[in-house]
Amino acid sequence: MPSGADKPIRPFLIDNEWVAGGGESFASINPSDGSEIARIGSASPKDVDGAVGAARRAFETQAWSNLKFHERARLLYRLGDLLTSDSERIARVQLADNGKTLKECRAQVASAADTFRYYASVCETFETELTPPRGNYWTVTVSEPVGVVAAITAWNSPLTLEAQKLAPILAAGNTVILKASELAPLISLEYAALVLKAGFPPGVVNVVTGAGQVGRWLVEHPGVDMIGFTGGTNTGSSIAAAAGRLLKPVVLELGGKSPNIVFEDADLKKAIPGTADGIFSGGGQSCVAGSRIFVQHTIYDEFVRGLQNFARNYRMGPPECADTDMGPLVSFSHRERVQKYVESGLNDGATLSSGGIAPKGDFFDKGAFYPATILTGLDGRAQVCREEIFGPVAVVLPFQDEQDLIHQANDSEFGLAAGVWTSDYKKAWRVARALRAGTVWINTYKQLSIATPFGGFKQSGIGREKGVQGMRCYMENKGIYWSLD
Ligand code: NDP
């Protein structure tokens, strides 16, 4: 692995100026071959102070919040267009940073550009409410930006996760400090460059890089008014504790252990590839991965054979190749973590129906590859059935009937998403309503729309992103009473 000490440090953005950072620089590693692709500057407490100060000044001068809604929208449209015009290069930046396939990275650039356009239109068409008066006055409820928002994100899909933070936060009139994961920081720096190119006023968007402590400094900084966070449940919980102490509002998008449910009356020609993609696409490194597959006992053996067949043909390979289904995992240490979970499942008595061993030979020796893996023969109490693995590992569990299924599927501390495969539309509706999850897919999985609110029940989060509500959550409501006497 090259040391990379000779590489220039990639700076981050404060007040529309590039800053190398007072912290110790770190490497961004390509998980396909372990090479260092860039050295990234790390923010010191002083840099965090500088970024928050710039965002606060920009907020207080109202250079952004006082723009007319359609004027703010214009810059958001421009960001979307700039992303589209450089989409191929930016897709490849994410591919090198976190190992996602080119197909997925291209789709994510398109989705991120649409996110900026969607919130431009939400911003432009936003309405104020006139509430019925109860006396000789009139009342109006206006929505105003919260102020300075810290947006902290995970490594698995920086393109879309960061767009889902920046677009609504900015549309609402806030200023922002974005902090991406240390494991995949490059896209946040691409967004910083696009913000400069689009012509945002100084201090409106600031981007800092570094590890978790940079995130913690942001959360605890008195100049930050609100936190938007996407990441693991444990981190979310410590952020919520700090925010609770400081009385700062939070939106938390956290982990999942989502059930994907196949009834005996499902069309298996669709349900097998649908459930397989639900867990294996993106190497299972997706918050909504359908990692607990529940199958009605009458079709269990047939289903497992079909899933096994699918998993064995799921092509691991270089993420840039058109026929690759799954690239490497994000890092070698994450692969070790996934492997340990599989071992724990085997120790608890699982049968390894597919995968479970890192591939060897050729380019596989250099990268953090891990195969599509299926564990059967467990009951829902095993650690692998309860904890988020965040890798391409499915546990397949049988159920007797609808009642048994609902009990098992809801027996989880998480509640992010779920899938139901059945040809009985009444049952589909009943089960969808009974599942404690923020998103339920019926006869499909992982289809997402920026217009539909997204978030988790239980330990999977607090609040909702996306949709009009996704912008409202970064606003404060103010009731104004105007006497007519
Ligand atoms: P982490 O929780 O480890 O990290 C998320 C971000 O928080 C990173 O930028 C991290 O920095 C930062 N961070 C770490 N500790 C703190 C702290 N104490 N205070 C403030 N910030 C901190 O998550 P991962 O990056 O490993 O992402 C995987 C997780 O994200 C999975 O659980 C997945 O389910 C979840 N996720 C949820 C989504 C949703 O919409 N519900 C979508 C995508 C992922 P650094 O990593 O640099 O230390």
Side-chain angles (χ1 to χ4, degrees), residues 134-159:
R134 297 172 70 93
N136 198 22
Y137 52 82
W138 63 286
T139 58
V140 61
T141 306
V142 291
S143 300
E144 298 183 348
V146 172
V148 174
V149 182
I152 302 172
T153 53
W155 47 260
N156 62 319
S157 295
L159 271 165

Side-chain angles (χ1 to χ4, degrees), residues 26 151-157 161 164-165 179-184 210-219 227 229-236 238-239 252-256 285-288 334 337 388 390 414 416 454-456 460-461 465:
F26 60 96
I152 302 172
T153 53
W155 47 260
N156 62 319
S157 295
L161 297 182
Q164 272 160 227
K165 295 269 182 281
K179 188 258 170 237
S181 164
E182 187 189 14
L183 286 177
Q213 57 180 1
V214 174
R216 196 165 42 75
W217 295 331
L218 279 170
V219 169
I227 299 121
F229 174 78
T230 298
T233 292
N234 289 341
T235 316
S238 52
I239 288 177
L252 302 174
E253 297 290 351
L254 309 178
Q285 301 163 115
S286 159
C287 52
V288 294
H334 187 54
R337 184 174 173 269
E388 184 182 43
F390 221 53
F414 297 106
L416 192 59
F454 177 84
S460 290
E465 286 195 326

Side-chain angles (χ1 to χ4, degrees), residues 44-45 68-69 72 74 94 110 116 193 197-198 207 265 312 378 400-401 412 424 427 431 434 450:
S44 63
K68 304 266 181 303
F69 278 60
R72 286 212 291 269
R74 211 173 287 148
Q94 178 170 282
F116 285 107
K197 209 166 174 183
V207 175
D265 56 11
R312 285 176 185 157
L378 287 167
Q400 290 298 317
D401 53 25
S412 167
D424 177 342
K427 181 162 63 187
V431 174
I450 188 61

Side-chain angles (χ1 to χ4, degrees), residues 445-458:
Y445 204 80
K446 264 193 172 183
Q447 275 188 334
L448 289 163
S449 151
I450 188 61
T452 307
F454 177 84
F457 284 34
K458 301 193 263 183

Side-chain angles (χ1 to χ4, degrees), residues 150-189:
I152 302 172
T153 53
W155 47 260
N156 62 319
S157 295
L159 271 165
T160 47
L161 297 182
E162 291 167 20
Q164 272 160 227
K165 295 269 182 281
L166 290 176
I169 289 171
L170 291 170
N174 300 286
T175 58
V176 60
I177 303 115
L178 171 67
K179 188 258 170 237
S181 164
E182 187 189 14
L183 286 177
L186 288 177
I187 290 297
S188 69
L189 300 177

